Amino acid sequence: MTLLTFELPDGSTRDVDVVQVLNAGYAGRSQDDVAAHVAELAELGVPAPTTTPALYPISPYLAQQTERVAVQHGRTSGEAEWALVVAQDGELLLTAACDHTDRELEVHGVAWSKNASPDVLARRAWRLSDVEGRLDDLTLRAWVTVKGEESLIQDGSLAELLTPSYWADVLRERGELLPGTVLISGTIPMAEGVDQFGEAWRVELSDPSTGDTITLAYAVTPLPVPIG
């Protein structure tokens, strides 16, 4: 199993043995906007989900705290998200995440594309109970670096997404809110005109009321050319 370690604001740490990873998709709080997004993706050849919001099981080893993501080609990109993590004692944690996705595979199957690269998680987390009363005020931003130049590509708030409590209830009803569960939220829109296929990604989850920010960053590196 993958072992993740999160530092909390009080300096304590939580070790999490990952047993399942779930990626939410089409998880905007406005499902009218989601329907419009599904239509846009369909024009690009991405198959529509059978239901929204969607939930895609991901191989547990793909939840990683890493500074490097190796990819097979140049058409992969991140997605700024929050992650709900169930600690070993059942406590719910909230952290920043970046779902690195293979855009070439996405046109063949969203679940396939999600399993092609890691879900990168930050090394710090908040107790969900400490921030739940102001979730909609939390901000989520991402930057992509292309040819050495970093650009803001995503800028929004958690008010745009279904809440951690919504997903916790879904998992609880399914009997899947288990210690070692990692659920990634789904993402917010990307800015038009910004190249998403870069050599590095950086994500920030910020709490304006305290000034605290959880960050992650990683480089995107090509795998060697295959032999044979």
Side-chain angles (χ1 to χ4, degrees):
M1 294 297 179
T2 298
L3 179 66
L4 304 177
T5 300
F6 298 96
E7 181 181 349
L8 302 184
D10 61 9
S12 64
T13 59
R14 296 289 185 275
D15 291 335
V16 178
D17 285 310
V18 179
V19 299
Q20 67 172 342
V21 179
L22 301 160
N23 278 23
Y26 309 100
R29 205 173 296 183
S30 167
Q31 286 295 294
D32 288 341
D33 290 346
V34 168
H37 181 54
V38 169
E40 291 170 356
L41 290 176
E43 293 180 1
L44 300 175
V46 178
T50 57
T51 186
T52 61
L55 200 58
Y56 303 103
I58 306 299
S59 298
Y61 72 87
L62 290 174
Q64 297 181 17
Q65 292 169 317
T66 183
E67 283 74 49
R68 187 176 77 93
V69 170
V71 298
Q72 298 181 73
H73 54 80
R75 290 185 60 81
T76 71
S77 67
E79 294 181 349
E81 315 207 0
W82 55 254
L84 177 69
V85 180
V86 186
Q88 301 309 123
D89 59 0
E91 185 173 35
L92 302 182
L93 307 178
L94 185 70
T95 191
C98 196
D99 168 21
H100 204 80
T101 300
D102 188 315
R103 302 302 178 188
E104 290 288 337
L105 271 177
E106 195 171 34
V107 299
H108 301 288
V110 174
W112 291 356
S113 71
K114 300 297 185 185
N115 275 280
S117 295
D119 285 333
V120 181
L121 285 85
R123 297 180 185 274
R124 295 183 60 242
W126 298 318
R127 294 177 179 87
L128 179 60
S129 59
D130 288 344
V131 296
E132 197 160 21
R134 54 182 185 277
L135 273 175
D136 286 0
D137 296 329
L138 303 185
T139 62
L140 189 60
R141 296 186 177 94
W143 292 260
V144 61
T145 299
V146 178
K147 297 180 180 179
E149 182 176 344
E150 187 179 66
S151 300
L152 181 66
I153 189 169
Q154 292 177 282
D155 187 359
S157 75
L158 270 61
E160 299 175 58
L161 297 167
L162 294 172
T163 66
S165 293
Y166 169 88
W167 287 113
D169 288 344
V170 169
L171 296 183
R172 192 177 290 111
E173 290 172 5
R174 293 161 55 104
E176 295 179 359
L177 192 66
L178 307 171
T181 295
V182 176
L183 185 142
I184 312 293
S185 65
T187 196
I188 58 178
M190 291 190 184
E192 294 184 7
V194 178
D195 186 354
Q196 63 183 288
F197 303 121
E199 62 261 21
W201 276 76
R202 180 166 62 92
V203 173
E204 291 185 353
L205 176 64
S206 299
D207 183 351
S209 70
T210 64
D212 194 13
T213 296
I214 294 174
T215 64
L216 66 88
Y218 61 89
V220 180
T221 59
L223 288 165
V225 176
I227 299 173

